[in-house]
Structures are given as structure tokens and as C-alpha cells.
Amino acid sequence: MRLFVALPIPEEVREHLKGVITKLVQAKQAALADVRWVRPANLHMTLKFLGEVSEADIPGIEAALRGISSSGPMTTRAERIVVEPRQGAAHLIATDITGDAVALRRLQEGVAQTMEALCFAPEPRGFWPHITLGRSQKGVSFGPREPTDSVLTALSGAQWPGREGTVNHFDLMSSKPSAEGPVYETLKTFAL
């Protein structure tokens, strides 16, 4: 079973990003033709990707995640659209997440350290608080991008920074492939 630990998106933020994705799809820009957009129900911030996990290991993972301390509910805000990589063709269209940055980083570090203690490999890259909006196999080319989000911001017509909302829990989630994209299921919720 493919698992990950995620911070859910507050409804206000989800609605804002749903509108942004809708506007980007409706823009029908040639540069965005092969982008596979994330369904609004699947929007989340990954705190730790675990990969394939045996069902027998899930109770131990849940017990470890219950032991993570947090400073309580936190605010999150969709800050701006970004593309990665920032040079050349972009394969990821996302939004930076800001808000209670210190609390968010502590939560992510707690999840990462707890999972590493259970022998899950550390992330090769540092933590980047973001929500993926879409992915491109071929890569999206916009030409010079200074700042990197200017073209996408103009296309979306959205106001930035986006909406802010409060999150009071994080989730252990499973991901199952389907023809329409992955289907996510919450296995366990942990209060902040």
C-alpha cells in the first residue's frame, strides 16, 4: 500500500486553488496543453512520502505519529504560483504555502524524524511547503521567468496571496492509482 503523511488544505484555501486551476484550464494556453491538473479533492501538502508499506506495519506507523507533539492548530495560505525547475522547461506547477511557518516546519521535522526512526529514508531534498497544482511530462516553457510566477499569475487572474485557513490535524493517507489519477484515502487523523 502506498502511503504518505499530509497536511490537509483548509476549505477556504481549497476553493481558492480550485478557482485558480479552473482558470488555468480555461485559458487553453498551448504551453499548458499537456499539464495534468490535480483534482481539487486531492489537494494537500505532503509532510512525508512513505512509499510502499505493508498493512502489517500501519499500526506501528499510526502509534509513532500519535506521539508527535505540535503547538496546536495552524494557519496556512496559498502565497503565489511557482514553477519548478525555475530554469528551462517546468515540470511542476505549484503554490507556495505560508502562514504559521515555524509551527509547520516543526510539524514536518517531527514527522520526518519519527518516520526515519522507523527506517523510512530521509528526503533527499529539503522541505518545501507547497501544494502541487499540476504536472507536465514534456515540460512547460514560458521563456524568461522573472519573477518565476508572473506568467501563471497573469493567466490565473487570481489575487495573490490567496486565501488563508486554519488546519487542526494531519493525516496518514493511502494513494491508489486509477485511470483518472490517484485516489487518496485518509487512514488515520492526528490532532494538532
Side-chain angles (χ1 to χ4, degrees), residues 13-33:
V13 176
R14 184 180 307 281
E15 283 303 310
H16 174 75
L17 295 178
K18 179 181 175 182
V20 169
I21 291 170
T22 298
K23 288 177 183 175
L24 289 168
V25 170
Q26 291 171 347
K28 298 192 190 253
Q29 296 291 317
L32 302 174

Side-chain angles (χ1 to χ4, degrees), residues 64-75:
L65 290 172
R66 266 194 301 277
I68 294 174
S69 63
S70 82
S71 56
M74 63 183 76
T75 60

Side-chain angles (χ1 to χ4, degrees), residues 9 28 49 68 72 90 103 132 147 159 162 186:
I9 303 308
K28 298 192 190 253
F49 179 72
I68 294 174
T132 298
Q159 296 297 313
T186 301

